[in-house]
Amino acid sequence: MAERIIGLVCCLLCAFPFFVIGIYNKDSREPIHFWSGDVSLKNKVKDVKGYNTEMSRLYKKGALFFLLIGTLFAVFPVIGAILLIFGCPVGIYLAYRVYKGILERYS
């Protein structure tokens, strides 16, 4: 039972920052960063509002991924762990590809 709770809490702790970024930075005047410390977006992004709207959706989808995996972890810990181990690298790659597409559209 402890592994289920630990897995769920870890996934919720991963999902929380994504939700916060997705919700609070949606209407920001600064572009939402994909990489921490990236300051080059101010010069690249022309339509900040549209860019932030799409980036907000991307961050919310990432949070939803962790919420679903955490819930699955609480019900079926082995399947949740396997999906977490294999889903995170694939999810990071897909999120990066979507980010590059968003950046290309709004540059």
Side-chain angles (χ1 to χ4, degrees), residues 57-90:
R57 279 191 224 130
L58 177 63
Y59 274 102
K60 288 176 187 175
K61 287 177 186 176
L64 183 62
F65 168 78
F66 279 111
L67 286 175
L68 292 174
I69 294 296
T71 304
L72 190 61
F73 213 115
V75 178
F76 303 108
V78 174
I79 296 172
I82 290 170
L83 285 176
L84 191 62
I85 290 169
F86 292 111
C88 280
V90 172

Side-chain angles (χ1 to χ4, degrees), residues 87-106:
C88 280
V90 172
I92 291 169
Y93 174 74
L94 292 175
Y96 176 71
R97 296 290 300 197
V98 171
Y99 162 71
K100 291 303 275 185
I102 292 170
L103 186 60
E104 190 175 297
R105 274 193 301 278
Y106 291 99

